[in-house]
Amino acid sequence: MRPHGPVVRTVRHDPADRPLLVIWEATRACALSCVHCRAEAQPRRDPRELDTEEATELMRQVASFGRPSPIFVITGGDCFEREDLDELVRRGRGLGLAVAVSPSGTAKLDRAALVRLQEAGVTAMSLSLDGATAQVHDGFRRVPGTFDRTVQAWATARELGMKVQVNSTMSSRTVHELPDLAALVREYGAMTWSAFMLVPMGRGVDLGALSAQQCEDVMNYLYDLGPHVPVKTTEGHHFRRVALQRAVLEERGADHVEVMGLGELYAELTERTAVFGWGDAVRARRPPVNVNAGYGFVFVSHVGTVHPSGFLPVSAGDVREQPLPEIYRSSELFTGLRDTSLLTGRCGTCEFARVCGGSRSRAYATSGDPHASDPLCAYEPGSFPYAEDVAALLAS
């Protein structure tokens, strides 16, 4: 088999020693009332939140992981509800951290606020867009005007030279927006477009998750978009498995629709995208990164508790009581999640477990066991016909 470039990227440093991303939920306050909200955001700030000095100490702990420092992302709720946001960014930059923000599409997300953040040291931000029209997106966010504010902030951030990641939730009520969202991302430009595979928690419990077959269709459709849009997934770890399988099938000249068992949703999304006439590839496909909950990724809540993911609400400690590096490196919860031998069910017997591992957050949300199978994965272990080719890619 002819050697490929990296189909799945591996973090250069040991993800068990130092995370790639530290996400801090600065507050749960937010003016929106989104139907999928993990945090079940509230209109007012919680008095138990980390204050300015405690947040600065958290950033010192993040910096103490060593170089290269983890990327520090300030999110919420809506991080713009923190009056000290600009000051926190300045302090984080002073500690040598790359600081990004993830605000909500509220009236506070205006040009003046973005200019202040840029002056404080922010070079990247993420924005959520779950529909390609105001009707769909505002219905999802439950506040009129959210779509227009988000798109304007996106354009402003790009004008200012900031990197922008666009996040879109995949659910039964938004999945058909994918082609039009892809067209928007291609038109406006983005560092990455992240498709969030819904985890049923918070307000998202009854939102309408995709079926495993629909998820397989979406993963393969996103792979197809790779040469045209810088796509990635969140809580869709089996996208890495799909990338490996598709690389093998391309080398073999095999029909991916037949081999992967793709269905009606894949056909619909592909057909609707074909009318755009995008033609030849305009970029190299972005290989997904091999990180997972507790393995390259850590979440700190507004009150300082430490979790493998914002979607896995089991605490491994508290930064007010124990340094973050100590919790990340040695807590039983984190070390257990990094041990793929503890996986059970289909994930436990899957040949792709080392580079996929499934969503530990979704496994916990649906079964109460963070080591159980990811119910949104349709793959039956051992069923892919080119096992030797896969083994060669995994070995590389």
Side-chain angles (χ1 to χ4, degrees), residues 154-337:
W154 183 1
T156 300
R158 293 278 293 166
E159 177 192 331
L160 294 172
M162 299 172 71
K163 298 177 181 177
V164 178
Q165 174 173 302
V166 178
N167 304 321
S168 300
T169 302
M170 300 294 101
S171 70
S172 58
R173 65 186 290 180
T174 59
V175 70
H176 300 283
E177 293 285 297
L178 273 173
D180 294 329
L181 281 167
L184 273 179
V185 172
R186 188 176 163 94
E187 176 186 355
Y188 278 80
M191 173 180 63
T192 46
W193 178 34
S194 180
F196 167 54
M197 301 299 162
L198 184 68
V199 175
M201 65 173 294
R203 296 191 192 119
V205 169
D206 301 317
L207 185 56
L210 302 177
S211 68
Q213 178 57 60
Q214 288 175 320
C215 185
E216 196 76 3
D217 286 0
V218 167
M219 294 287 191
N220 278 272
Y221 171 70
L222 294 174
Y223 181 85
D224 293 346
L225 290 178
H228 305 283
V229 178
V231 67
K232 59 170 283 192
T233 59
T234 298
E235 296 298 342
H237 305 292
H238 38 305
F239 186 56
R240 302 194 283 266
R241 184 255 303 164
V242 168
L244 288 165
Q245 291 173 309
R246 291 293 299 273
V248 169
L249 294 175
E250 287 167 9
E251 187 67 27
R252 288 275 183 173
D255 183 352
H256 67 278
V257 175
E258 179 180 352
V259 175
M260 303 289 282
L262 303 182
E264 294 180 359
L265 180 59
Y266 176 80
E268 175 205 329
L269 298 175
T270 301
E271 182 178 346
R272 287 178 52 203
T273 305
V275 303
F276 297 144
W278 286 343
D280 295 335
V282 296
R283 58 181 305 278
R285 183 174 275 110
R286 184 181 189 275
V289 184
N290 185 16
V291 299
N292 206 329
Y295 183 72
F297 190 97
V298 60
F299 176 89
V300 181
S301 78
H302 62 299
V303 295
T305 53
V306 179
H307 308 264
S309 161
F311 304 97
L312 208 171
V314 179
S315 174
D318 190 317
V319 296
R320 284 170 164 145
E321 301 172 358
Q322 187 180 8
L324 180 62
E326 184 178 320
I327 297 171
Y328 180 82
R329 291 167 176 157
S330 61
S331 70
E332 183 177 356
L333 175 61
F334 277 70
T335 56
L337 287 172

Side-chain angles (χ1 to χ4, degrees), residues 14-44:
D14 181 4
D17 179 70
R18 182 165 65 247
L20 175 67
L21 289 168
V22 177
I23 310 294
W24 174 44
E25 175 191 63
T27 182
R28 285 195 170 182
C30 183
L32 303 184
S33 185
C34 306
V35 297
H36 72 306
C37 185
R38 164 200 60 79
E40 298 185 84
Q42 308 296 319
R44 295 182 180 83

